[in-house]
Amino acid sequence: MRGPIITLEGVQKYYGEYHALRGIDAEIGQGEFFSLLGPSGCGKTTLLRAIAGFEDISGGRILLDGRDMDGVPPNRRPTNMVFQSYAIFPHLSVAENVGFGLRKSPMSGAEKKTAVGEALEMVGLGGYGGRAAHALSGGQRQRVALARALILKPKVLLLDEPLSALDKKMREQMQTELRRLQRQVGITFILVTHDQEEALIMSDRIAVMFEGGIAQLAPPQDLYRRPASRKVGEFIGMMNFLPARLIEAGNPSVEVEVPGLGRAILEPDQCPMGTGGEISIGLRPESMTLLFDGQNAERVAQGVVEERTYYGDMTYYDIRLDGAPNIVQVSMRNMPGRRVLDRGDRADLAWDARAMVLFC
Amino acid sequence: MRGLKVYAITYLVFLYAPIILLPLFAFNDGTIIAFPLQGFTLDWFVELARTEALHDATVNSIFIAVTTAILATCFGLFAARAGNRHSFPGKGGILGFVMLPLVLPEIIVAVSLLVAMLQVGLSPSIWTVIAGHVLICTPFSIAILNGSFANMDKSLEEAAVDLGETPVSTFRLVTLPLVMPGIVASLLICFTISLDEFIIAFFLSGNEPTLPVYLWGQLRFPGRLPVIMALGTILVILSILLLVTAEYFRRRGLRRAGLEDTGGFL
Amino acid sequence: MSQTARLRRAFRTDSGKGLTLVAPPFIYALVMLAAPLGTILLFSFWTQDFLTIDRTFTLDNYREALSDPLYSELLFRSLRIAGAVTVVTVLLAFPIAYFVSFHVRPDRKSLWLFLITIPFWTSYLIRVFLWRVILAFDGPVNGTLMGLGIIDEPLSWILYNANAVIITLAHAFAPFAILPIFVSLEKIDRSLLEAARDLGESRVATFFRVTLPLAMPGVLAAILIVFIPTIGDYVTPRLVGGSGGTMIANMIQTQFMRLNNAPMGATLAVIAMLSVTVISLLLVFVTRRWTRGR
Ligand SMILES: Nc1ncnc2c1ncn2[C@@H]1O[C@H](COP(=O)(O)OP(=O)(O)OP(=O)(O)O)[C@@H](O)[C@H]1O
Ligand SMILES: [Mg+2]
């Protein structure tokens, strides 16, 4: 991460009594693809609009390229936005939409025309300039909105759920394209989304938000592998949570006993040990494997298949562990010749302590 | 469903009965307004052209209607924008109060304005009629413009500001073109209402009668009735033209905003 | 400086901008509506002798208005006529609204609405006057009926009485009744009706158990929008009402313009307004109860 382009310092927002942003701290780097991820109503849009200047914040500071943005109206901020509804001006043509922000620029008419053409080319709409804006499809509108914002070469591009109105196919295509575009122009993108997969695919870093606060800010791999809390783990991907008992709290390693699985030595990065409170561990379905005839592993647990769910590429098993009330979910890739267990079959499963996350 | 359709058509006949009679008598070569018809004549229209008092009344009416349309549409723009784009304390009450003349019997509006004006020493004139007409036209303007603003995605204006326009230039470049059809429709509707309004003008016009007030005076003279039929025919044709134009603009507005047509005015 | 800065900040907020925007129409309505209505109310407590106004507070006008049979008769007749007009108009309008909403092709609907609204925008005076022609002794209604041999002599009960007022006003307020009912019918999710049929209800029962209750807000709006202004109608009673069809508005006008008794006119106006308000509120209340109760 090169130097920060945006610094958020304790950003607060009240809508009347309602506390929509509860002290947001973050630094967003130059050229970074940054995502705000969280469930509906957690304040993602509010934060994005505060950065754009559409919402006055009630406390804290927003620095853009080192400049305090307090009192700077949206038209004077070096940010541009792609709106969720795209906000394509229906009374203007595609080219007029894309060139909308160039009205006051010192460029000559011909230069503007070239710039518009290039911007349209960049988003794959070369030759569409003369079309009426209201006759475009959803995907095309989205591209026009992108071209219209990028043509102004903002320091930061803000995108509010830009893909949520598209169908699945189109959405997947635009995800790759957005990423490519971002690398090409090198502008910082801040993407708001409630789709965790989308955030994982596209982002350099993700801020997971709950109820007006950032619960974790990390690159996708870290977020997935080491969620900072149960809530984050639950929100991103699937995760098994099992109650655990502390055997020995050392530094840096901790020994825990997980009923049904056994003992494990972990090196947690968050829990200050010796708390004595309730602890649990998290384990992703794919970090356990079922063992078939004769396979062996270092750590093995036994149980009974309670449920089997077929997903095409994967099969998920719910397994009730012997000697414990816990059910764990295990995913197995479907491969030719691999056995499939039925409900009620006994299963051996191998697990890896390195994939365990400790929550307390 | 056949029955319903027959009913609907009968109902339309009921609605149009008076209007259909109008031209019949306007071109009828007889001085009494009754059947059977006598024959074709254009005399009544010729006589219209010769009546001085009528011309004065027409000029008064048009001046009042134009001024009313402009003022009421300005108020309508302010109120509709405030109602659709902002939240403020007492919003429901304030907007409800501004819309009140829509449901108040006109006679009440008329007498209370008359009394209040005499109280502060104003005498009835064209301007007092305008004051009353603006009051009753503003709610119609608000209703029409509410539709225009509600149909317009709020983020369009934000997008313009985001792309570097000031609030003022945003209004000029984005808001105005998009609500323009609504503004035109509002102007036309207010013009039509004011042109046709009788009670308020009757109480407040003093010795500067409007067209309806003049008409009212003439209704007492049976001999003048054919001329009034001719005048009525012209007025009806004018109203229909205005309405068709207003409707055309309203639909164009919808089409520009890329929306489905969901019904008429109000 | 902090004063002005704070003021400037207050104008920049959302509610500041909103208030600034509504201020012109709101102040206008205050000056042109609230103040005059207040004046009328004041006047109703005063008395007038020829051209001089006695400003001592008194309830005499109200006492007189409520005890003199001339006034109370007029008031009740106005309420009765307005009520009849409302019932007739809404009953006639509902099938039309229903027809346009349910049986007209979607792309034709706005044409129908347009056709329905056009007559309403043509000169009110002339329309009312033409009803006098239509309903006259030698008018087309009597002419047609006699020509068809249905009646032997012209009907006399259709002009210069309350019936004529009702017919004429039912015509004048037709679009006001049709539009709100149409809007509420349009809003009904068509799958609700299918669900009712699916659950075993007949067409008719579906209409009464689903369509009508859901259209009730529109019907209520139609009732109010017809009832309130008809109470104060002046032109129709004068032109087609004869002596048996005069209404309160005519008396108000007489008090102001002919008898120079503005306080009495004001009192009658206040009483008319009050009764309209009370009846409207009652109607709203009853309808709410009725629709909630199911
Ligand atoms: N103008 C407003 N007035 C009052 N409350 C608001 C306003 N705008 C947003 N809120 C509230 O603030 C909270 C956060 O809203 P925000 O739009 O930021 O959520 P979000 O994370 O973008 O959700 P979504 O995924 O549904 O878009 C919500 O509970 C919302 O109801
Ligand atoms: Mg949002």
Side-chain angles (χ1 to χ4, degrees), chain C residues 9-288:
Chain C
R9 226 164 222 274
F11 275 114
R12 271 233 321 263
T13 63
D14 189 47
S15 48
K17 284 182 197 154
L19 283 171
T20 320
L21 273 173
V22 276
F26 182 53
I27 292 172
Y28 188 81
L30 280 180
V31 173
M32 291 296 169
L33 187 62
L37 288 179
T39 317
I40 281 280
L41 189 63
L42 266 185
F43 257 75
S44 70
F45 297 117
W46 295 343
T47 43
Q48 185 166 8
D49 201 8
F50 293 111
L51 289 178
T52 52
I53 288 187
D54 178 358
R55 299 209 161 139
T56 42
F57 178 93
T58 167
L59 287 174
D60 282 356
N61 291 324
Y62 287 92
R63 220 166 283 138
E64 190 186 337
L66 295 178
S67 60
D68 188 332
L70 173 67
Y71 298 136
S72 47
E73 159 101 19
L74 262 187
L75 183 67
F76 282 119
R77 184 194 290 157
S78 302
L79 291 175
R80 227 174 27 240
I81 291 182
V85 170
T86 310
V87 171
V88 170
T89 313
V90 172
L91 282 184
L92 287 180
F94 194 95
I96 289 293
Y98 186 84
F99 172 74
V100 178
S101 178
F102 283 82
H103 295 292
V104 170
R105 276 192 0 225
D107 55 322
R108 289 278 180 78
K109 283 183 182 173
S110 61
L111 177 69
W112 270 88
L113 292 182
F114 193 56
L115 280 179
I116 288 167
T117 27
I118 281 187
F120 162 74
W121 293 104
T122 58
S123 173
Y124 180 55
L125 274 185
I126 290 180
R127 255 186 301 147
V128 175
F129 178 76
L130 282 166
W131 277 105
R132 184 154 110 183
V133 175
I134 294 175
L135 300 173
F137 215 65
D138 49 1
V141 170
N142 279 324
T144 315
L145 289 179
M146 288 205 304
L148 291 174
I150 297 173
I151 50 172
D152 296 331
E153 51 187 66
L155 303 171
S156 59
W157 53 267
I158 55 172
L159 190 57
Y160 299 127
N161 53 31
N163 294 330
V165 176
I166 294 172
I167 296 175
T168 308
L169 286 176
H171 176 264
F173 283 92
F176 275 129
I178 295 175
L179 289 181
I181 299 176
F182 171 78
V183 169
S184 65
L185 286 172
E186 277 294 276
K187 278 194 198 142
I188 297 176
D189 183 350
R190 298 304 193 252
S191 59
L192 291 176
L193 308 181
E194 288 171 357
R197 296 299 303 280
D198 184 61
L199 294 170
E201 285 296 13
S202 69
R203 240 175 231 290
V204 176
T206 301
F207 176 81
F208 282 106
R209 288 190 62 192
V210 182
T211 316
L212 195 55
L214 288 175
M216 237 16 227
V219 174
L220 179 66
I223 289 176
L224 293 179
I225 237 170
V226 175
F227 182 74
I228 298 174
T230 41
I231 286 269
D233 194 74
Y234 172 82
V235 172
T236 305
R238 268 300 292 278
L239 284 182
V240 302
S243 61
T246 23
M247 289 168 65
I248 196 79
N250 307 90
M251 183 48 85
I252 294 176
Q253 192 263 349
T254 308
Q255 294 288 347
F256 274 101
M257 309 289 243
R258 299 269 167 79
L259 303 177
N260 274 326
N261 193 349
M264 195 42 157
T267 309
L268 293 177
V270 171
I271 292 179
M273 228 169 12
L274 276 182
S275 17
V276 170
T277 314
V278 169
I279 292 176
S280 307
L281 289 179
L282 267 176
L283 268 175
V284 172
F285 181 72
V286 169
T287 322
R288 288 252 167 94

Side-chain angles (χ1 to χ4, degrees), chain A residues 49 52 54 74-75 77 79-81 83 85 87-91 97 100-101 103-104 134 148-149 152, chain B residues 153-167 169 172-174 177-178 255-258:
Chain A
R49 290 170 57 83
F54 291 116
N75 47 330
R77 296 195 184 192
T79 59
N80 283 117
M81 185 131 163
F83 290 83
S85 62
I88 302 298
F89 302 118
H91 58 305
N97 262 285
F100 191 90
R103 191 171 69 94
K104 291 181 196 150
H134 58 77
R148 184 176 74 178
L152 300 177
Chain B
D153 184 358
K154 192 180 169 194
S155 49
L156 287 174
E157 289 170 357
E158 289 182 345
V161 173
D162 188 64
L163 294 167
E165 297 296 343
T166 62
S169 59
R172 186 167 59 80
L173 292 171
V174 177
L178 289 175
R255 223 172 323 116
R256 269 203 198 177

Side-chain angles (χ1 to χ4, degrees), chain A residues 15 18 20 38-47 55 84 161 192 194:
Chain A
Y15 288 115
Y18 184 76
S40 186
C42 69
K44 309 177 294 282
T45 299
T46 305
L47 181 56
E55 304 284 353
Q84 186 165 8
E161 311 222 6
V192 161
H194 61 250

Side-chain angles (χ1 to χ4, degrees), chain B residues 41 138 150 166 232 262 266:
Chain B
T41 179
T138 302
T166 62
T262 46
L266 300 172

Side-chain angles (χ1 to χ4, degrees), chain A residues 263-332:
Chain A
R263 291 194 176 195
I265 295 177
L266 310 175
E267 285 188 17
D269 25 39
Q270 56 255 36
C271 291
M273 270 305 119
T275 44
E278 281 196 19
I279 60 169
S280 61
I281 60 103
L283 202 52
R284 300 254 179 221
E286 69 274 13
S287 44
M288 290 179 279
T289 345
L290 292 186
L291 297 176
F292 295 106
D293 338 281
Q295 283 179 304
N296 216 335
E298 192 181 337
R299 295 167 193 280
V300 183
Q302 275 89 37
V304 180
V305 176
E306 288 254 314
E307 190 61 82
R308 188 185 70 197
T309 318
Y310 179 70
Y311 275 88
D313 55 341
M314 307 285 272
T315 301
Y316 280 74
Y317 295 95
D318 290 354
I319 294 174
R320 179 176 297 283
L321 296 174
D322 291 345
N326 306 321
I327 293 182
V328 292
Q329 196 167 52
V330 180
S331 66
M332 294 295 288

Side-chain angles (χ1 to χ4, degrees), chain A residues 24-182:
Chain A
I24 303 283
D25 290 293
E27 288 191 341
I28 299 168
Q30 207 129 32
E32 189 173 18
F33 200 123
F34 190 89
S35 291
L36 294 170
L37 172 65
S40 186
C42 69
K44 309 177 294 282
T45 299
T46 305
L47 181 56
L48 199 74
R49 290 170 57 83
I51 295 172
F54 291 116
E55 304 284 353
D56 288 332
I57 53 176
S58 328
R61 292 206 302 167
I62 296 175
L63 303 179
L64 237 155
D65 211 9
R67 234 178 91 216
D68 191 343
M69 285 291 117
D70 184 38
V72 180
N75 47 330
R76 302 259 183 72
R77 296 195 184 192
T79 59
N80 283 117
M81 185 131 163
V82 173
F83 290 83
Q84 186 165 8
S85 62
Y86 308 143
I88 302 298
F89 302 118
H91 58 305
L92 303 178
S93 70
V94 168
E96 285 169 322
N97 262 285
V98 174
F100 191 90
L102 295 178
R103 191 171 69 94
K104 291 181 196 150
S105 102
M107 279 191 241
S108 72
E111 283 171 331
K112 286 181 189 172
K113 224 172 147 193
T114 324
V116 168
E118 282 171 6
L120 282 173
E121 206 67 58
M122 180 173 68
V123 295
L125 282 182
Y128 277 69
R131 293 256 187 127
H134 58 77
L136 296 177
S137 74
Q140 289 169 333
R141 281 159 172 268
Q142 142 113 83
R143 287 162 198 264
V144 173
L146 269 170
R148 184 176 74 178
L150 286 174
I151 200 173
L152 300 177
K153 307 208 162 51
K155 292 202 168 118
V156 180
L157 184 72
L158 307 168
L159 305 106
D160 190 0
E161 311 222 6
L163 307 178
S164 62
L166 304 179
D167 61 44
K168 194 168 177 329
K169 242 318 175 348
M170 194 72 199
R171 188 157 63 227
E172 281 165 3
Q173 186 187 336
M174 281 311 291
Q175 282 169 355
T176 12
E177 203 154 331
L178 261 184
R179 188 74 243 234
R180 173 189 65 76
L181 208 59
Q182 193 266 338

